[in-house]
Amino acid sequence: MFMKDKYDVVIIGSGVAGLYAALQFDEDVDVLVVSKRELPLSNSSLAQGGVAAVLDKNNDNYKLHIADTLIAGKFKNNLSAVEKLVSEGPADVMKLNSLGVEFDTEKSGELSKTLEAGHSRHRIVHHKDSTGKAIVDKLIESVQQKSNVDMLDYALVYEINKVENGFWLGILKDGELNQVGAEFVLIATGGIGRIYKYTTNSAIATGDGIALAHMLGAEIRHLSRIQFHPTAFAAENERERFLISEAVRGEGAVYLNCKGERFAFKYDERGELAPRDVVSNAVIRESIATGSEDFYLDITAKDPEFIKSRFPMIYSRCLEEGIDMTKDRIPVFPCQHYLMGGINVDINARTNIDGLYAAGECTHTGVHGANRLASNSLLEALVYSRTAAEHMIYKLHTDGRKPLGPAPKPDSAEGEALPTGIRTKIREIMQDTYFVLPKPEKYQKSFEEVDAIVNNLITGNYAITADFVEARSIAIVAGIILDELREGINL
Ligand SMILES: Cc1cc2nc3c(=O)[nH]c(=O)nc-3n(C[C@H](O)[C@H](O)[C@H](O)COP(=O)(O)OP(=O)(O)OC[C@H]3O[C@@H](n4cnc5c(N)ncnc54)[C@H](O)[C@@H]3O)c2cc1C
């Protein structure tokens, strides 16, 4: 089943971070990419708006992009990490272009750039409103052509053991527990949306990589810095709510309350185009003021043909829900969307554990500060995953290959079945304790409840299944967030 039992590098995750890292290695480096579900299922594939990058030096510059990023991040960003993101990112975006990612272009042939909330310039390159899928599909195609990279889907990493000169990973595939060795490991496992009842995130976003890194002793930082998006489609009873991209407001949509009135300017002079956290806050406060959760986006003033060609995916998803956005207002409400904190890494994407790297949404590089600027996350995934790969290549060339320590005793597949309802319980606690407007009076009790669940999962004798591993990840991640909140860190 596994082509080899040892690799130079194992990459956990086939989102933009994992795939772009895999692409960097030459023939002389053996790489394994593992992905717990089908390869394209990820937050990356869901990205709509695009990638932010300074590509038009006549109308934009690095200083402006850096300033926008710092303002959105409330100046809690790591400046060197932001400078690296902004100055190196354009070359990575052009690399995608040269791989064949079809970013939209103007009649003149130059890349078309749109505006999103918090950006002072038009700098978001995009492929209609399905940029992430366009990038992921092309990256998968490119990685599959590399003879030194093996890719395994439906392969779930459930543990990482540190040994001399590397790691042994426990991987669940087709119901069997396997061990694979690696000198270097890159965690690129994405976000944590599934700890919430309502999220825009993909089903894979259970925070596995953060939980695995935490169990290994890696530093986790600012996990309670969570971004709530102000405009997810308000579908009843759907856990994964589809996103109505910021670009819809960028192109002129207005946000209306239950009385059909614009309200965003009451809370911030930037109105609907204020950063996400500001708009989400405004919506919740307006919801309390009006006593209603009914809110709408209205873009009907725009030409219907423009709407259909600029937002084909959102248009057809809305139609599936019975809403024609060229004529109807779209029902929306805030939703969990993105994680700014994560596994702490340095400017080379290294964790505090020798040989362990992390990139993408599961990390804390410090680029986002307290709040991510729209379309900076795909850019971060590109820049820091490439950096991680470059650093591993540098280490392999300078230090040479060293013998890997022996594998630990294999795990037993035997164990008790996981009780039902654990994930639901945690989601209810998180939704009730910390959703847009935090409720400090609930922190301590919620933490104690989740902590008891974590202890039970870690000390119990449960069979290692995907359900168990994801429930354990959700519990560990929720526990760290609530612990930060009750300790007063971050907010
Ligand atoms: C609806 C939506 C719209 C967005 N729009 C934009 C946008 O326009 N611009 C922008 O910059 N950002 C956007 N984002 C954010 C951005 O898409 C993500 O932050 C980014 O793509 C994350 O990439 P990643 O590679 O870190 O993780 P992901 O793309 O989520 O990939 C994670 C990978 O890890 C694998 N994995 C997880 N756990 C395990 C395990 N235990 N074992 C094996 N594999 C595992 C998964 O299967 C998956 O392959 C959006 C996000 C969402 C949800």
Side-chain angles (χ1 to χ4, degrees):
M1 175 194 307
F2 287 88
M3 296 77 169
K4 302 186 183 95
D5 66 354
K6 281 183 212 162
Y7 287 81
D8 294 320
V9 177
V10 171
I11 297 173
I12 314 172
S14 61
V16 163
L19 293 167
Y20 195 59
L23 210 55
Q24 312 299 321
F25 295 97
D26 287 334
E27 301 277 296
D28 60 333
V29 183
D30 287 335
V31 181
L32 172 68
V33 178
V34 280
S35 187
K36 70 177 173 179
R37 295 276 294 272
E38 53 272 38
L39 295 176
L41 189 83
S42 62
N43 276 1
S44 295
S45 294
L46 295 176
Q48 298 178 353
V51 194
V54 176
L55 295 169
D56 175 6
K57 292 270 182 65
N58 291 327
N59 296 303
D60 198 3
N61 62 55
Y62 295 159
K63 278 191 180 157
L64 287 172
H65 191 182
I66 290 169
D68 293 344
T69 304
L70 297 179
I71 291 166
K74 302 192 170 80
F75 297 94
K76 292 191 172 168
N77 323 57
N78 173 341
L79 183 58
S80 328
V82 177
E83 284 169 345
K84 178 181 168 72
L85 174 89
V86 167
S87 61
E88 295 184 13
D92 290 306
V93 173
M94 292 318 290
K95 172 75 185 172
L96 293 182
N97 197 33
S98 71
L99 287 174
V101 175
E102 290 179 2
F103 292 119
D104 293 351
T105 52
E106 301 292 345
K107 285 199 183 89
S108 63
E110 74 178 78
L111 295 183
S112 152
K113 296 161 206 84
T114 193
L115 185 66
E116 286 191 334
H119 288 274
S120 57
R121 292 290 184 277
H122 284 70
R123 64 166 75 97
I124 321 296
V125 294
H126 50 89
H127 171 85
K128 302 201 182 296
D129 56 354
S130 51
T131 308
K133 185 175 179 318
I135 298 174
V136 168
D137 288 352
K138 196 51 77 178
L139 285 177
I140 290 176
E141 202 182 299
S142 306
V143 176
Q144 274 168 343
Q145 285 166 11
K146 289 183 73 75
S147 59
N148 61 318
V149 183
D150 292 335
M151 295 221 263
L152 264 188
D153 58 4
Y154 292 95
L156 177 134
V157 176
Y158 65 87
E159 74 180 9
I160 306 175
N161 295 291
K162 176 89 185 97
V163 295
E164 201 181 349
N165 300 325
F167 303 88
W168 283 93
L169 293 91
I171 304 181
L172 176 66
K173 170 100 180 128
D174 299 332
E176 283 180 16
L177 306 182
N178 305 269
Q179 289 181 311
V180 171
E183 186 159 347
F184 297 106
V185 170
L186 173 67
I187 301 181
T189 47
I192 54 132
R194 293 303 170 122
I195 69 165
Y196 276 94
K197 233 168 147 178
Y198 299 124
T199 176
T200 57
N201 285 194
S202 150
I204 57 88
T206 50
D208 297 0
I210 296 168
L212 291 168
H214 174 69
M215 289 191 284
L216 200 57
E219 188 192 355
I220 311 296
R221 202 177 275 184
H222 294 316
L223 219 53
S224 53
R225 288 186 178 164
I226 295 170
Q227 184 170 81
F228 299 93
H229 198 288
T231 54
F233 191 93
E236 278 304 308
N237 300 324
E238 266 181 42
R239 181 159 303 132
E240 187 177 320
R241 293 183 157 197
F242 77 91
L243 186 74
I244 310 295
S245 162
E246 213 120 40
V248 177
R249 275 173 289 138
E251 299 290 0
V254 291
Y255 213 138
L256 305 176
N257 65 13
C258 60
K259 298 175 202 154
E261 298 162 349
R262 283 179 84 177
F263 61 92
F265 284 97
K266 273 200 293 190
Y267 299 94
D268 191 281
E269 61 187 12
R270 291 162 292 184
E272 282 98 348
L273 288 181
R276 296 177 173 174
D277 61 325
V278 178
V279 180
S280 293
N281 258 272
V283 177
I284 299 299
R285 286 160 67 194
E286 183 71 4
S287 169
I288 294 166
T290 57
S292 167
E293 290 193 353
D294 293 342
F295 286 86
Y296 305 91
L297 266 190
D298 189 346
I299 192 168
T300 54
K302 284 274 176 180
D303 173 23
E305 290 315 310
F306 168 78
I307 295 173
K308 286 186 213 168
S309 71
R310 177 68 182 85
F311 303 112
M313 197 267 285
I314 296 174
Y315 174 74
S316 70
R317 278 295 280 117
C318 283
L319 268 191
E320 282 170 28
E321 304 286 338
I323 300 291
D324 178 346
M325 66 189 277
T326 65
K327 297 188 201 129
D328 305 323
R329 301 180 307 183
I330 310 166
V332 288
F333 201 65
C335 225
Q336 188 285 341
H337 185 55
Y338 185 75
L339 173 68
M340 273 76 69
I343 306 164
N344 197 44
V345 292
D346 68 8
I347 205 94
N348 286 313
R350 285 180 300 184
T351 71
N352 57 318
I353 293 176
D354 192 29
L356 185 70
Y357 295 70
E361 190 168 341
C362 65
T363 63
H364 172 264
T365 57
V367 301
H368 305 302
N371 181 46
R372 171 186 66 129
L373 181 66
S375 289
N376 264 357
S377 44
L378 287 172
L379 193 68
E380 182 197 35
L382 292 169
V383 169
Y384 284 89
S385 67
R386 172 185 45 75
T387 301
E390 285 169 355
H391 201 269
M392 290 179 214
I393 293 165
Y394 160 78
K395 293 287 283 176
L396 279 167
H397 287 169
T398 50
D399 300 353
R401 288 176 173 78
K402 300 185 201 122
L404 185 64
K409 198 167 146 280
D411 295 298
S412 158
E414 304 298 311
E416 292 167 33
L418 187 73
T420 53
I422 289 180
R423 296 185 197 214
T424 307
K425 174 83 187 151
I426 292 169
R427 284 175 183 137
E428 279 167 1
I429 291 173
M430 291 308 293
Q431 195 77 24
D432 188 37
T433 311
Y434 179 35
F435 181 73
V436 186
L437 295 183
K439 295 188 189 137
E441 69 283 5
K442 301 203 171 180
Y443 291 166
Q444 183 61 28
K445 184 164 176 288
S446 297
F447 169 75
E448 285 166 13
E449 280 181 293
V450 172
D451 197 42
I453 296 173
V454 172
N455 283 335
N456 172 31
L457 291 176
I458 286 182
T459 56
N461 178 33
Y462 294 107
I464 298 172
T465 60
D467 195 20
F468 165 73
V469 174
E470 292 189 344
R472 183 185 66 184
S473 301
I474 285 175
I476 289 174
V477 165
I480 299 173
I481 293 169
L482 292 167
D483 194 25
E484 279 186 10
L485 290 172
R486 80 189 176 126
E487 294 291 338
I489 307 169
N490 282 341
L491 290 176

